[in-house]
Amino acid sequence: MSGDNRTERGAWVVLGGIHLLNQTAPRRPDEPIVLIRVAPQEVCLPSITVAIRWKALGVCPVDALSSDGMRLGAALIDGSILFPDAIAGAALRRLVGADSAPGLVPLCYLAAHPDGGYHAYAQIRFYPEDACFVRTTRKPVGHGPVTALHWLGPVLSAHAESSIALNNHLRYFRTHFAGTELEYKYTLDPAPDIWAASLELLKVLRDGELDGCRPEYREEFQIHHTENHLFDVVGPEQEVGYASFIPTVSAGYVLKRKWFTKDTFARREELTSGIDVAPDGFEEYLRTELGLRVRAMPPFQRVRYDVQCESMRTGHVYGIFFDRCSLLATPEVVLSQCELEYRRSRSVLDHDKDEVLREMERIDSWLRSYLAAHGWAKQHTFYSKRSFLRDAVTARPELAQPRPAARGGQPQ
């Protein structure tokens, strides 16, 4: 069989010792490699990310081999009982033995390529209910029957080459366009209940209505509720934009800086944590510590629900936010928006960062149609929180906040 160059069609979840991923021990010729035959699990082809729910697999043919290709046994096992408590279940223990079972984990998802060989997706997260895999092979590897294990060496080598990324606590993320916010905005009019709107959108993504995309694995929904103390930065010219102080749960503030002269798709952005300044000292801090000329805007409350959307084809993650801002002093002054923003990328394979822009355009087109169908918005706008506050003060000058006195001195 080892000389047979045929490649079997299909897909497999491959199990093996955790040391093969974290490299805490060398590969041994007698250790078990378990092949679980499954229906193809990719949402789209080509794909970067594959997420698998064990109970959705149904009854699967399972073959256990030693690392050097010796047959250890076979069974039919229901996916729902593979990993109770993320530990190999009784059926797997019978196949691989009591000594090997405790360290048995998913190593990779293996997909046969039509032209021969296999693509491998390394396991990056593993739970009793499911697991997530990202592709590590640029080209198919290991031609021949899957049980010949010709693919095993190249797959483990590909994982080792990217092990620092694949094994880190983020499992694995990179950011293109670092320091730049890429965002489409829609002003919602009439404004919906953003909680219900968010959950409905999340269900739509789960159901696959946005082609090639799904909710981000284990990070599909986030809730934000913050106060913002925003200052319009009017100079120097190269610093124009805004500075916003956002309180943290523990202590101090995050200072969000954005640089732009007009509302646009791409804006420079920077976050600084641990700012220990009292609210009456915000303006003084910006003027004396950062040398900015600023104008205080009315403080506002922001409630935001984030639906995290992952492209299974590229690994790029986009946030679709339903956002409601209201002035603290006059809660009836409200801005409701939906925003589409690039967040991060999961792939360890190189990508043209301009692909993010092309994919955002595709998702934006879908989102625009979705919002229009609900009667909320027909076209995007780049209307910012700064513009909203400026317009609110222009319409109602009494909303303008007096500039607080600098500590230890007179109002500037």
Side-chain angles (χ1 to χ4, degrees), residues 34-37 59-64 71-78 82 90-92 94-95:
V34 179
L35 304 174
I36 303 173
R37 183 73 177 255
V59 176
C60 304
V62 180
D63 288 290
R71 186 176 178 82
L72 301 178
L76 292 173
I77 303 177
D78 192 285
L82 284 170
L92 286 175
R94 287 192 292 270
L95 272 181

Side-chain angles (χ1 to χ4, degrees), residues 186-197 322-325 332 334-338 371 374-377:
Y186 297 84
T187 298
L188 302 178
D189 185 17
D193 176 340
I194 62 170
W195 173 263
F322 283 89
D323 192 354
R324 185 183 188 277
C325 295
E332 70 275 10
V334 173
L335 172 66
S336 289
Q337 292 186 311
C338 180
L371 296 175
H374 286 74
W376 296 331

